[in-house]
């Protein structure tokens, strides 16, 4: 069963600033109209899976994989048994056969830290080059900026609570809005072996938590009657919280309990258990808070946008990584986020952030102050030597993880999605083929590739994998690397794009490979059955799911630039936005890995994008593109 505690649901939205149109007036009005995620046919998944292996394996390895798959799905194989169990799980699931499996296997059972490994980060708003103030205290502009964003995030929560956020539509089809129930007041709670998600909808929490100088403060933003504080009051609350923490730290050194959220999950679960007897109220206040706001100090090295995304992803002090939303505000007023990934996908949070940012940039008429607003109060933790030891261990782990990660921004301003569409090509497919060619140029082989596809057209849908690496993309990569005749390159390019579009459509329709295989894998009941599951025992499965390129399209990227870490040691993480007039991306690497270089990948990708533009423009000018 899904590991969720204390989730309350009542009976069954801001003008969207996203890739989706919004035509329905009520947030959850379409939920009952959404189809369930289908369970694909076993034979169809097997065929698509084998096709995805072709560019990754030698002919001998592919023959071995084909034999394993044939035995797995054939008479007497374990595949049909697992398929029937999955179909039964689908019949028993309230909304989706995948929902619990994905949440548990992809997130809650993962034992390494959320920090970097799972959480995603972004710079938001206008992040122009600027020097940070040299200060150990919060600045007036920092608190003013934070107060504005807090106000608008609170407005978003109120809109969702009232079911007034317009429901998303895509190409006339309604999309699932369930994830919006998990944005506010949601926290991942550490537990041994498998964490829990704590949430509430409608979210009626009356406070946020502010992290400042590695300490937490409870900051009420509503009075007891539920009236929201004015912007001026929220700014005053932030000032009171920071001054209180400053005074507290002048008196004595305090433990940095938030560091525990940056460490191993089982260690954090042990510490959480030790904290509970003497800190039950403090934990309750943090875990029930609407969201966390981090007021960072001593960030004078954060000057450029690249410094900014690096800070949002790699900084581990002054954080509580278990919250679904962490707003980070620097002394200059520039902002970012670091968000826990388990309950919500990045584009959902991105929609809320972009709505808040659009309001933050406009003139704002403040509301009247609310009466009897409780004061902001710092949390004084009671810890023993065991907890302090676990804090120090988490800090050591986080430092090593952060020191190993490099993140670089890349921008191609020569052209954008508008020009790509003139080629008659999907911008996303264009960029994915460019990624394939870039990796091949650097490493001389095809990479197992993950691209996120949304399943929100289905009830409680999350994501599926687009296996972007195809035999067609490999053939085009070779042609580009070998400078084959332009006509041949164009033909292979169009085939590669067509393959990507076909797989993307299948994935978005619930006919992808990876979630179905995960569902089958979750039906195995014993070690003996695991040995009989020949598809999963064959080395090709591990190789094809070790995603050397982990990629995600988060268009638009003008006020929201995201980043995440590679999912394998010798891989890259690539986040990109394909805006009308330019292409933006971030690339990350583990510096301890041999053979990878984010800097080289960035330059090679920029070169590839230029080559594709020049070839495409020439082809259009000379009418060489086939329709």
């Amino acid at each position: 069963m899904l590991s969720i505690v204390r989730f309350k649901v009542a009976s069954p939205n801001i003008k969207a600033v996203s890739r989706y149109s919004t035509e329905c007036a009520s947030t959850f009005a379409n939920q009952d109209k959404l189809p369930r995620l289908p369970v694909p046919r076993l034979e169809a998944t097997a065929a698509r899976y084998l096709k995805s292996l072709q560019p990754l394996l030698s002919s001998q390895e592919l023959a071995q994989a084909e034999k394993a798959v044939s035995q797995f799905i054939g008479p007497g194989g374990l595949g049909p048994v697992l398929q029937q169990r999955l179909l039964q799980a689908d019949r028993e699931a309230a909304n989706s056969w995948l929902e619990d499996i994905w949440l548990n296997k992809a997130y809650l059972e993962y034992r390494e830290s959320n920090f970097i490994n799972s959480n995603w980060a972004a710079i938001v708003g206008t992040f122009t080059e600027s020097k940070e103030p040299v200060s150990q205290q919060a600045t007036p502009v920092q608190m003013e900026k934070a107060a504005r964003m807090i106000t608008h995030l609170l407005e978003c929560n109120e809109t969702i609570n009232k079911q007034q956020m317009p429901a998303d539509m895509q190409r006339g089809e309604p999309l699932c809005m369930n994830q919006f129930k998990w944005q506010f007041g949601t926290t991942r709670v550490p537990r041994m072996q498998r964490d829990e998600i704590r949430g509430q909808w409608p979210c009626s929490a009356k406070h946020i938590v502010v992290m400042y100088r590695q300490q937490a403060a409870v900051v009420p933003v509503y009075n007891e009657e539920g009236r929201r504080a004015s912007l001026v009051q929220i700014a005053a609350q932030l000032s009171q919280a920071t001054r209180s923490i400053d005074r507290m730290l002048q008196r004595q050194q305090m433990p940095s309990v938030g560091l525990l959220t940056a460490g191993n999950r089982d260690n954090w679960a042990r510490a959480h258990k030790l904290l509970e007897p003497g800190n039950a109220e403090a934990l309750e206040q943090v875990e029930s808070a609407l969201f966390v706001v981090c007021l960072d100090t001593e960030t004078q090295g954060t000057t450029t946008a690249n410094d900014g995304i690096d800070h949002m992803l790699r900084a581990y002090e002054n954080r509580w990584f278990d919250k679904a939303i962490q707003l980070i505000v620097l002394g200059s007023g520039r902002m970012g986020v670091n968000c826990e990934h388990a309950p919500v996908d990045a584009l959902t949070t991105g929609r809320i952030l972009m709505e808040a940012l659009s309001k933050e940039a406009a003139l704002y008429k403040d509301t009247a102050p609310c009466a009897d607003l409780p004061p902001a109060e710092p949390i004084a933790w009671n810890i023993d030597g065991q907890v302090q030891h676990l804090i120090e261990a988490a800090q050591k782990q986080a430092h090593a993880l952060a020191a190993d990660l490099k993140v670089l921004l890349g921008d191609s301003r020569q052209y954008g999605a508008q020009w790509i569409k003139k080629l008659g090509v999907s911008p996303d497919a264009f960029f994915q083929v460019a990624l394939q060619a870039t990796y091949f140029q650097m490493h001389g082989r095809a990479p197992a590739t993950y691209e996120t596809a949304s399943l929100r057209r289905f009830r409680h849908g999350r994501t599926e994998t687009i296996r972007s690496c195809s035999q067609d993309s490999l053939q085009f990569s070779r042609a580009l690397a070998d400078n084959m005749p332009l006509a041949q390159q164009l033909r292979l390019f169009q085939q590669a794009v067509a393959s990507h579009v076909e797989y993307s459509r299948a994935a978005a329709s619930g006919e992808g490979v990876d979630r179905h295989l995960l569902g089958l894998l979750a039906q195995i009941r014993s070690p003996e059955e695991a040995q009989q599951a020949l598809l999963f025992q064959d080395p090709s499965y591990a190789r094809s799911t070790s995603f050397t390129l982990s990629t995600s399209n988060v268009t638009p990227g003008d006020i929201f630039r995201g980043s995440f870490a590679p999912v394998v040691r010798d891989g890259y993480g690539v986040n990109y936005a394909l805006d009308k007039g330019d292409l933006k991306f971030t690339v990350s690497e583990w510096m301890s890995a041999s053979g990878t270089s984010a800097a080289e990948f960035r330059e090679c990708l920029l070169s590839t994008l230029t080559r594709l533009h020049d070839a495409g423009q020439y082809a259009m000018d000379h009418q060489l593109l086939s329709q």
Side-chain angles (χ1 to χ4, degrees):
M1 295 297 293
L2 184 64
S3 296
I4 299 174
V5 293
R6 291 169 283 184
F7 180 65
K8 305 172 186 176
V9 182
S11 56
N13 287 235
I14 58 187
K15 184 178 179 182
V17 189
S18 75
R19 65 176 73 183
Y20 305 117
S21 63
T22 55
E23 300 173 359
C24 179
S26 178
T27 307
F28 306 111
N30 290 326
Q31 290 301 108
D32 291 341
K33 304 173 187 176
L34 295 169
R36 293 173 65 91
L37 179 69
V39 178
R41 291 186 306 108
L42 188 60
E43 295 76 14
T45 294
R48 190 176 296 279
Y49 171 68
L50 287 172
K51 186 177 181 180
S52 76
L53 297 181
Q54 291 175 2
L56 305 176
L57 305 180
S58 68
S59 57
Q60 183 177 356
E61 291 168 333
L62 184 60
Q64 178 180 315
E66 289 171 343
K67 181 180 179 181
V69 170
S70 177
Q71 292 176 337
F72 176 75
I73 69 172
L78 189 63
V81 176
L82 300 180
Q83 178 79 347
Q84 289 304 310
R85 291 175 187 171
L86 185 58
L87 290 169
Q88 181 61 32
D90 179 43
R91 289 189 286 270
E92 295 173 358
N95 295 288
S96 168
W97 60 266
L98 179 59
E99 185 176 19
D100 291 7
I101 294 171
W102 178 244
L103 184 61
N104 289 327
K105 299 300 181 184
Y107 297 107
L108 300 184
E109 293 177 11
Y110 184 69
R111 297 294 83 197
E112 295 305 315
S113 105
N114 293 357
F115 168 59
I116 289 183
N117 290 309
S118 176
N119 282 30
W120 59 270
I123 51 176
V124 299
T126 304
F127 208 99
T128 55
E129 184 167 330
S130 174
K131 289 186 177 181
E132 285 293 311
V134 181
S135 175
Q136 292 184 349
Q137 274 75 43
T139 68
V141 66
Q142 182 179 26
M143 288 187 283
E144 178 185 350
K145 195 82 165 183
R148 285 289 299 265
M149 277 297 287
I150 290 166
T151 296
H152 298 312
L153 287 172
L154 296 177
E155 290 173 343
C156 287
N157 180 54
E158 292 166 10
T159 303
I160 295 169
N161 284 346
K162 295 173 184 176
Q163 303 188 49
Q164 293 174 348
M165 174 179 282
D168 286 336
M169 305 284 288
Q170 189 173 37
R171 299 185 182 93
E173 289 188 355
L175 300 180
C176 182
M177 299 295 287
N178 181 64
Q179 290 183 43
F180 288 91
K181 295 179 180 179
W182 295 93
Q183 289 285 184
F184 296 97
T186 299
T187 302
R188 179 168 170 169
V189 180
R191 295 288 184 255
M192 296 298 294
Q193 298 184 339
R194 186 169 75 187
D195 293 347
E196 297 174 343
I197 295 293
R198 170 181 176 166
Q200 180 191 73
W201 184 81
C203 183
S204 58
K206 296 180 172 62
H207 68 282
I208 62 174
V209 162
V210 167
M211 297 295 297
Y212 171 67
R213 299 181 66 186
Q214 301 195 61
Q215 302 302 313
V218 178
V219 178
V221 288
Y222 294 89
N223 65 13
E224 289 302 316
E225 287 70 42
R227 184 174 175 183
R228 178 167 25 102
S230 68
L231 176 62
V232 171
Q233 283 180 304
I234 291 174
Q237 290 284 78
L238 296 178
S239 179
Q240 181 182 48
T242 56
R243 290 198 310 270
S244 297
I245 289 174
D246 285 336
R247 289 194 296 267
M248 182 176 70
L249 292 176
Q250 285 175 356
R251 293 192 299 268
Q252 61 179 318
Q253 185 177 359
M254 299 297 292
S256 303
V257 175
L259 285 169
L260 289 164
T261 68
N264 176 276
R265 299 305 296 177
D266 281 343
N267 285 346
W268 174 206
R270 293 185 186 96
H272 196 281
K273 196 72 174 176
L274 292 169
L275 284 168
E276 288 169 8
N279 300 273
E281 183 179 355
L283 289 169
E284 167 66 22
Q285 293 277 33
V286 175
E287 292 168 4
S288 64
L290 283 154
F291 49 89
V292 165
V293 176
C294 305
L295 300 177
D296 284 5
T297 59
E298 300 184 78
T299 57
Q300 49 265 37
T302 307
T303 302
T304 66
N306 206 129
D307 298 331
I309 193 64
D310 184 81
H311 181 81
M312 301 309 165
L313 186 60
R314 292 175 61 246
Y316 56 87
E317 297 179 330
N318 204 47
R319 300 285 184 270
W320 198 277
F321 287 108
D322 290 355
K323 293 298 289 186
I325 297 177
Q326 268 191 127
L327 175 68
I328 303 166
V329 187
L330 306 184
S332 63
R334 295 178 299 173
M335 297 181 294
V337 292
N338 188 295
C339 299
E340 208 284 310
H341 210 331
V344 178
D345 297 317
L347 282 173
T348 309
T349 308
R351 175 182 170 182
I352 287 174
L353 290 169
M354 286 189 282
E355 172 62 26
L357 286 164
S358 68
K359 293 182 177 181
E360 190 271 336
L363 293 174
Y364 180 75
K365 184 179 180 180
D366 199 5
T367 58
C370 69
D372 302 320
L373 184 67
E377 295 184 358
I379 293 176
W381 299 96
N382 299 308
I383 72 166
D384 58 19
Q386 287 179 278
V387 173
Q388 182 59 41
H389 175 75
L390 289 167
I391 290 173
E392 292 168 0
Q395 183 174 28
K396 184 177 180 180
Q397 293 166 5
H399 179 78
L401 201 59
D404 195 24
L405 186 68
K406 176 180 283 188
V407 185
L408 295 175
L409 293 182
D411 295 289
S412 177
R413 303 193 182 280
Q414 185 179 12
Y415 63 100
Q418 186 176 36
W419 179 87
I420 296 172
K421 289 177 181 178
K422 291 180 180 179
L423 295 175
V425 171
S426 154
D428 185 71
F430 179 98
F431 195 84
Q432 284 289 331
V433 171
L435 288 174
Q436 294 297 311
T438 297
Y439 187 90
F440 185 86
Q441 181 73 32
M442 286 182 61
H443 299 281
R445 62 182 183 275
T449 305
Y450 177 107
E451 182 191 357
T452 305
S454 174
L455 291 177
R456 284 183 59 203
R457 65 188 294 185
F458 301 105
R459 195 182 313 165
H460 288 213
R462 292 289 300 269
T463 64
E464 173 61 279
T465 302
I466 301 170
R467 292 192 167 205
S468 301
C469 180
S470 66
Q471 192 69 9
D472 289 322
S473 67
L474 176 58
Q475 290 178 356
F476 168 72
S477 299
R478 286 174 175 155
L480 190 66
D482 293 342
N483 288 311
M484 290 183 178
L486 181 59
Q488 188 171 357
Q489 289 187 37
L490 290 172
R491 177 177 57 81
L492 293 174
F493 173 76
Q494 290 181 307
Q495 290 175 0
V497 165
S499 288
H500 185 270
V501 169
E502 188 278 330
Y503 201 116
S504 298
R505 288 174 176 167
S509 299
E511 297 292 335
V513 164
D514 289 273
R515 300 301 179 266
H516 186 199
L517 292 182
L518 177 64
L520 296 173
L521 191 59
Q523 307 310 312
I524 294 175
R525 296 175 178 173
S526 68
E528 292 74 23
E529 283 193 347
Q531 290 300 315
Q532 298 172 39
L534 299 180
L535 183 153
F536 302 113
Q537 290 294 320
D538 190 80
S540 60
Y541 179 72
R543 186 184 301 186
S544 70
T545 54
S546 296
F547 295 111
T548 308
L549 285 183
S550 179
T551 72
S552 184
N553 182 344
V554 291
T555 304
D558 50 349
I559 58 173
F560 181 87
R561 295 196 68 172
S563 186
F564 50 84
V567 297
V568 296
R569 181 57 47 184
D570 59 348
Y572 300 96
V574 182
N575 186 288
Y576 59 97
L578 312 176
D579 291 326
K580 184 177 179 180
D582 60 26
L583 310 175
K584 305 181 183 75
F585 62 90
T586 65
V587 56
S588 61
E589 65 155 328
W590 298 112
M591 291 187 288
S592 61
S594 60
T596 58
S597 168
E600 185 181 348
F601 192 95
R602 176 178 64 179
E603 296 311 310
C604 190
L605 178 55
L606 289 170
S607 174
T608 300
L609 291 170
T610 297
R611 291 183 67 185
L612 292 181
H613 174 268
D614 293 347
Q617 190 62 54
Y618 182 89
M620 284 193 292
D621 292 344
H622 294 81
Q623 299 182 339
L624 301 178
L625 292 170
S626 61
Q627 300 299 318

